[in-house]
Amino acid sequence: MKKYNSTVNRETQVVINISNGWNQYQLKNGYILYKGNFSSYGEELNNFLALFKNGVVKDDDIINYLACIRGNFSIIVKTDDYIVASVDCIRSVPLYYFVKNSTTFITDDVGYLKRTGHKLKISNDSQLSVLMSGYTLFEDTLYLGVKSFIPGQIFSYCSGGVNSYNINNFQTWFNSNNEARTKSLDLMCSEFNSVILEVMSNTIKSLEGRQVVVPLSGGYDSRLIVSLLKHYNYENVICFTYGMVDNFEAISAKKIADKLGYKWVFIDLNIKEQRYFYKSDEFSSYLKYADTIDSTPYYQGLFAVKYLKEKKIIDFNAVFINGNTGDFITGGHISDYYQYCNSDTIDSKVYSKIIDKYYSLWGYLKTPSNKSKIINKIKSSHKYLENKYDADINICDFIYYYEFVNRQSKYVIQGQKIFEYYGYEWRMPLWDSKMIEFWSSVPNNYKNGQFLYKKTIEKYNYSNIWDKEYEINKYRISSPLIRHTRRFFKLLVFILTSGSYKKWDRIDRSIFYYFYDITRMLCSVSYWRVVFSIFKYPRHNVAFDAERYVSYHEKSS
């Protein structure tokens, strides 16, 4: 495997896996390594490279330009005088760094470092975090001393000194007195409409007429994508939905695709076929490809992409566009904390909510000692941010930051690898830097319950598919046998336990959910393993994914 390995001086070393999709641009006194897509896809990258045609460029100029680039990328500039390394605003292409014997290593491939003699030890605290949530906390990785670039981070190494910057203006996120608080709802709706139309217009320009493939669930986010494609008269579109036959999302998705005149494909995920796929070498190969050192691999939709490619349903150069993660960025995940929004202190009730929402993959791990370790780490991060930005950060703003830096950037956004694995490009317009910039300044009363998001969509009714006729169907288990059997046992459990929902939920997740999980991701483990784990209280498939992930790294460390 070809590698690029070079040093600036005795204090900094770049170790990048060139064969992992990186491009190299040679300079007179160094080089540039870059990977990913740049908005206007070529234009901004060419402008950036043009900075270096006349020789020496100051690292400050590089940093200022990087802050203006849109797209999904990582980039490293190395000259005789400095190194500048950057990830994009959502960290879609991860970079890591660690210090050993006074040398700082910057890498995208910690596995290569391990294979070449660098001994790395798993962090007990990070291992616990992964087992409880599926990911590590903040800049931590699974390995002691190895740190991750957080979204938007830029490091500048020059003459032995290190400076850190960030593309994302987190100061705006934590500014409770921002200008948007005085704006009317109509004005905010108009501003968001302008942003989303500009973002989609830019995205469409980058496609150059290629086929767009949209995973369509019928909910708000993927529906917004297809409605805006139609708004701009983009016709080369195919939609697909997967899961159990006649599942509620598929019914809604087909209705929407038919209304827009787009081809729609349904991919049936039956248990037998999914069990076979998850035992295959192909799936094992994907897990290695998608492996990072700060989160379990994301694989929802992997089989569907494989199916579309092998059946030649989509073009070889098609581009996938999904709705990740509109519900989060528009405020849908702060609703549980909104009642505490006017307080900058995080009390025990709030921490309990955080643990229940984010750290409940395995119920048996929610011991007082383990919860205390997680809470202390979150507390220290909250205090650090308040000191750094000289602000009293309320709980809603902190949760917004917390989930963005942790679950979203490390787990959800890395899910785009399911497209890359099969050789396809992707776009995420709802994670465009303009979207982040806009929503980071939106007041929490407009974010709560996605109020502004839904009001804007309702007002502008893009492509006329936002009427009640096209509302997403209510959740329903499509199999009558499973539905009625489950209903009978639920009644029985409630009678025997005096109506204990918690006990029923544990039984349901361990015995019945395997058969009505729309994604079929639970099929990545055997049914009996799920059943026999009932007293460990697994939440869903990611609990087992986390165990497999930790075990893999324990064996390879």
Side-chain angles (χ1 to χ4, degrees), residues 117-338:
H118 294 269
K119 294 193 178 296
L120 301 176
K121 184 179 179 181
I122 290 178
S123 161
N124 291 332
D125 288 344
S126 291
Q127 178 175 298
L128 176 66
S129 179
V130 170
L131 289 173
M132 292 183 70
S133 69
Y135 46 81
T136 60
L137 275 167
F138 304 106
E139 74 282 358
D140 289 348
T141 69
L142 191 60
Y143 294 98
L144 285 170
V146 182
K147 300 297 182 181
S148 172
F149 282 51
I150 66 170
Q153 194 153 35
I154 304 173
F155 278 120
S156 171
Y157 300 79
C158 183
S159 302
V162 180
N163 291 304
S164 176
Y165 310 85
N166 203 292
I167 294 169
N168 295 311
N169 185 7
F170 291 127
Q171 185 73 53
T172 302
W173 295 34
F174 304 138
N175 184 0
S176 60
N177 295 313
N178 62 62
E179 178 188 348
R181 287 185 175 273
T182 63
K183 294 181 180 179
S184 68
L185 176 60
D186 282 345
L187 180 57
M188 292 293 288
C189 286
S190 176
E191 289 184 355
F192 174 51
N193 175 63
S194 297
V195 169
I196 192 61
L197 290 179
E198 192 272 337
V199 165
M200 280 304 296
S201 175
N202 187 67
T203 300
I204 288 171
K205 288 177 183 177
S206 78
L207 301 173
E208 299 178 332
R210 287 178 290 174
Q211 184 184 65
V212 171
V213 185
V214 181
L216 184 60
S217 69
Y220 273 92
D221 304 330
S222 59
R223 191 194 314 194
L224 179 60
I225 297 299
V226 292
S227 67
L228 289 172
L229 286 168
K230 192 68 175 182
H231 175 83
Y232 280 107
N233 297 313
Y234 202 89
E235 299 298 335
N236 192 7
V237 176
I238 183 169
C239 306
F240 72 97
T241 311
Y242 52 86
M244 296 179 294
V245 174
D246 291 332
N247 73 75
F248 67 100
E249 290 187 341
I251 294 170
S252 182
K254 183 180 187 305
K255 189 183 295 185
I256 292 166
D258 288 346
K259 167 69 174 179
L260 296 174
Y262 289 151
K263 180 179 178 180
W264 178 78
V265 176
F266 177 74
I267 302 165
D268 178 22
L269 304 183
N270 66 73
I271 290 177
K272 183 177 179 180
E273 188 174 29
Q274 293 308 295
R275 286 291 296 132
Y276 180 81
F277 173 67
Y278 287 127
K279 291 179 181 178
S280 69
D281 291 340
E282 186 171 2
F283 180 63
S284 296
S285 174
Y286 171 77
L287 292 181
K288 292 178 182 178
Y289 170 83
D291 183 68
T292 66
I293 56 170
D294 43 33
S295 172
T296 59
Y298 184 108
Y299 55 90
Q300 182 177 337
L302 180 68
F303 179 85
V305 178
K306 164 188 165 71
Y307 179 92
L308 293 169
K309 180 175 183 177
E310 291 182 349
K311 299 295 182 181
K312 295 182 169 51
I313 295 172
I314 58 177
D315 295 345
F316 74 95
N317 64 345
V319 180
F320 283 79
I321 303 182
N322 63 35
N324 289 149
T325 316
D327 61 329
F328 163 75
I329 197 171
T330 61
H333 294 194
I334 68 168
S335 299
D336 289 342
Y337 308 93
Y338 187 68

Side-chain angles (χ1 to χ4, degrees), residues 185 189 330-331 439 444-456:
L185 176 60
C189 286
T330 61
W439 282 100
N444 288 316
N445 61 313
Y446 282 154
K447 285 180 184 171
N448 183 36
Q450 298 179 274
F451 179 73
L452 175 62
Y453 184 58
K454 293 178 180 180
K455 283 294 183 182
T456 304

Side-chain angles (χ1 to χ4, degrees), residues 352-371:
S352 180
K353 283 182 174 291
I354 292 173
I355 293 295
D356 288 343
K357 182 171 183 177
Y358 297 108
Y359 293 92
S360 296
L361 287 184
W362 290 102
Y364 81 99
L365 288 176
K366 292 169 64 177
T367 64
S369 174
N370 287 344
K371 289 192 290 186

